[in-house]
Amino acid sequence: MQKLLIKGKRELSGKISISGSKNATLPILAASILAKEVRLKNIPLVKDIFTMIDLLNFIGLKTKIIKKSNIIEIKNNEKNINTLAPYKLVKTMRAGVLVLGSLLTKYGKAKVSLPGGCAIGTRPVDLHLFALKKLGAKIKIKNGYIFAEAKKGLKGTIINFPSISVGATENALLAACKAKGKTVLKNCAIEPEIKDLIFFLNKLGSIINFKGRTITIYENKLKSSNITHEVIFDRIELGTYMIACALLAKKNVIIDKIDPKIVKNEINVLKILGVKILKKKSSIIIKKKKKLKNINITTKPYPGFPTDLQAQLMVLLTQVEGVSKIKENIFENRFMHVPELKRMGAQIEIKDKTAIIKGPTKLTGAEVMATDLRASVCLVLAGLIAENRTIINRIYHLDRGYEFLERKLKNCKAEIKRI
Ligand code: UD1
């Protein structure tokens, strides 16, 4: 089993280029089922994306990845289509459930494995099914599978989500763009990745607009060929490297291929902490500051502070003077990195949904275990600032979502290698 070996306390300098967003690419890949020919640029070459591509191949689409330019070409010649998403593919990557909306709306039926829980929480799909039922789908759960049917097609309606879900908003959007009449989705997630999906669907011929948390989808014929789309940058990868630089930048580190407007809140949080950030049109420059201030923060749906950066921010807060608090408001079990950080010397206490972090504490290298994608990268950050050597086990979690992590960090003078 592969591990990461990090020698800590190396200052970072240079440039980091941000990859395409995993969480935007996944629903757009699921949306490609609705077209005949799609070419996606700026896709990140990470494990979750390859799993989704395997799923599209299983369904019967033809895919060609051009690795050196991060491009994928997808063709659907409508031959031997399988409206099934099997357990073996959905269990390793929950976003597999997103093919449900596309398959159902296009082919009138779908059988998709229930994804089940995962390390960070139970993560049900009731809101996905609630929306599809409202659109007229008949849904049964049997033998661990969702059986969905809409023989006469789906019908537009008003759907008011009882709580905000990224995946449920995406599945509802996919299903509604071939429904009859108008669909209005209320209380939606409005993450930039959802806006990128809407941008893609509009290229397909959908007419979708949004205002606040309401998305309206109008009935329209979809175009199917020659659709090219460049996926948005990965704002979570950007946030991760911003935090790494706030901890370790020697002079200035430039982070490029981004749009600072999309991460306004994350930049503000770091500025409140005292980190120096200079915004340019498609890049930022970060400077490490000696003394940072403590904060209290709660994770929220976009435009709030993302749960996907909670673990990374916690590492930064271990180096800040005073007591900081992070309330995790999205997932019920997302503090699994805390025992590992404590083993490295962090002083963190958990009370209900809140982590209380006392700083500054000196972290020392240790052998630690990654538990999920963002927890693993938080251990990388901890290893980078710790004294001596840190070994991170179970790094397959990291490979699910961070493209060229070691290469990007090594280019900035970090000492990190896979063993
Ligand atoms: C997506 C992101 C993930 C991120 C999360 C929250 C992708 C591939 N993944 O996950 O990285 O951490 O958004 O920003 O884009 N819920 C229900 N019922 C449902 C659906 C969700 O109760 O049917 C709950 C979840 O358990 C969770 C909350 O709603 O507590 C938010 O989950 P959701 O926004 O759906 O996250 P995902 O789409 O799974």
Side-chain angles (χ1 to χ4, degrees), residues 22-23 26 94-95 120 122-128 163-168 170 191 307-308 330-332 334 374:
K22 164 182 88 72
N23 286 355
L26 290 168
R94 298 177 43 84
I120 62 173
T122 48
R123 303 184 83 177
V125 288
D126 55 319
L127 297 170
H128 300 232
S163 58
I164 296 171
S165 156
V166 172
E170 290 166 346
E191 268 58 6
T307 172
D308 283 353
I330 308 289
F331 291 108
E332 66 269 36
R334 209 170 196 183
R374 309 302 170 187

Side-chain angles (χ1 to χ4, degrees), residues 93-128:
M93 191 215 35
R94 298 177 43 84
V97 81
L98 293 174
V99 299
L100 181 59
S102 302
L103 289 175
L104 179 65
T105 207
K106 185 162 182 187
Y107 299 106
K109 62 174 184 170
K111 178 181 168 187
V112 174
S113 170
L114 276 167
C118 74
I120 62 173
T122 48
R123 303 184 83 177
V125 288
D126 55 319
L127 297 170
H128 300 232

Side-chain angles (χ1 to χ4, degrees), residues 340 343-344 364-368 386-387 389-392:
E340 298 303 290
R343 291 184 58 244
M344 296 176 76
T364 48
E367 184 152 359
V368 289
E387 270 172 5
R389 255 170 36 142
T390 296
I391 293 175
I392 306 178

